[in-house]
């Protein structure tokens, strides 16, 4: 039996996939400050941006 939800509460395909990844032990655990998190994300973004093939 399908449970009914308001439209804005139905997760999209990407969210469902992400939840499944986390539930199976995947993903990345970050511990640190918010500043550290954004610094890491900025570094990752720069790496992806400047190392494109």
């Amino acid at each position: 039996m399908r449970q009914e939800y308001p439209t804005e509460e139905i997760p999209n395909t990407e969210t469902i996939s992400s939840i499944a990844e986390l539930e199976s032990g995947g993903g990345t655990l970050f511990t640190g400050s918010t500043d550290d998190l954004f610094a890491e994300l900025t570094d990752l973004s720069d790496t992806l941006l400047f190392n494109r093939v």
Side-chain angles (χ1 to χ4, degrees):
M1 179 177 178
R2 181 179 173 186
Q3 189 172 2
E4 295 297 323
Y5 295 99
T7 304
E8 65 272 8
E9 293 184 16
I10 297 174
N12 62 27
T13 303
E14 184 178 1
T15 301
I16 292 169
S17 176
S18 297
I19 292 169
E21 178 183 358
L22 292 172
E23 288 177 342
S24 67
T28 303
L29 175 63
F30 181 84
T31 55
S33 69
T34 305
D35 287 337
D36 292 341
L37 173 62
F38 279 98
E40 185 173 317
L41 292 173
T42 300
D43 290 344
L44 177 61
S45 176
D46 289 345
T47 299
L48 293 173
L49 180 65
F50 295 115
N51 291 328
R52 285 189 171 166
V53 176

